[in-house]
């Protein structure tokens, strides 16, 4: 996350806020390539990713969770369709609790 390949090579994100730019980061709850997606183990993995994002990369001013409904993917290399109930699978109240604990100013 610290660096990403841009059109002109690698760019460092850490200097952008000091220059007056807001840096936005995206972490989708639906990982079409992760072998454990749609299983309980994936929620632990996803929340660990969320914790990393909220503690290692500066202030986050907005957090939102997109429509992560499962579907076709290459989960761990297996081309499958995995269905989840997006109202219960992600356990949103506890996922939001992590956000409020680690980045209380995020809207």
């Amino acid at each position: 996350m610290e660096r990403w390949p841009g059109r002109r090579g690698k760019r460092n994100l850490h200097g952008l806020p000091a220059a007056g730019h807001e840096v936005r980061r995206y972490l989708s709850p639906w990982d079409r390539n992760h072998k454990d997606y749609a299983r309980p183990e994936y929620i632990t993995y996803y929340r660990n990713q969320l914790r990393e994002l909220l503690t290692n990369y500066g202030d986050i001013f907005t957090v939102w969770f997109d429509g992560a409904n499962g579907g076709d993917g290459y989960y761990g290399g297996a081309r499958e369709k995995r269905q989840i109930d997006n109202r219960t699978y992600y356990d949103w109240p506890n996922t939001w609790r992590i956000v409020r604990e680690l980045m209380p100013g995020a809207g």
Side-chain angles (χ1 to χ4, degrees), residues 14-32:
H14 293 290
L16 291 175
H21 301 284
E22 294 176 338
V23 177
R24 299 171 189 218
R25 296 157 184 100
Y26 179 75
L27 176 63
S28 176
W30 178 30
D31 186 336
R32 295 171 44 144

Side-chain angles (χ1 to χ4, degrees), residues 43-82:
I43 298 304
T44 300
Y45 168 81
Y46 178 74
R47 288 181 178 162
N48 286 338
Q49 293 289 303
L50 183 61
R51 283 184 185 93
E52 177 184 339
L53 182 66
L54 295 173
T55 58
N56 293 340
Y57 299 96
D59 289 340
I60 305 288
F61 65 95
T62 301
V63 173
W64 81 95
F65 299 106
D66 61 7
N69 300 314
D72 291 339
Y74 293 92
Y75 304 102
R79 181 157 173 64
E80 299 175 353
K81 184 172 187 173
R82 295 189 183 177

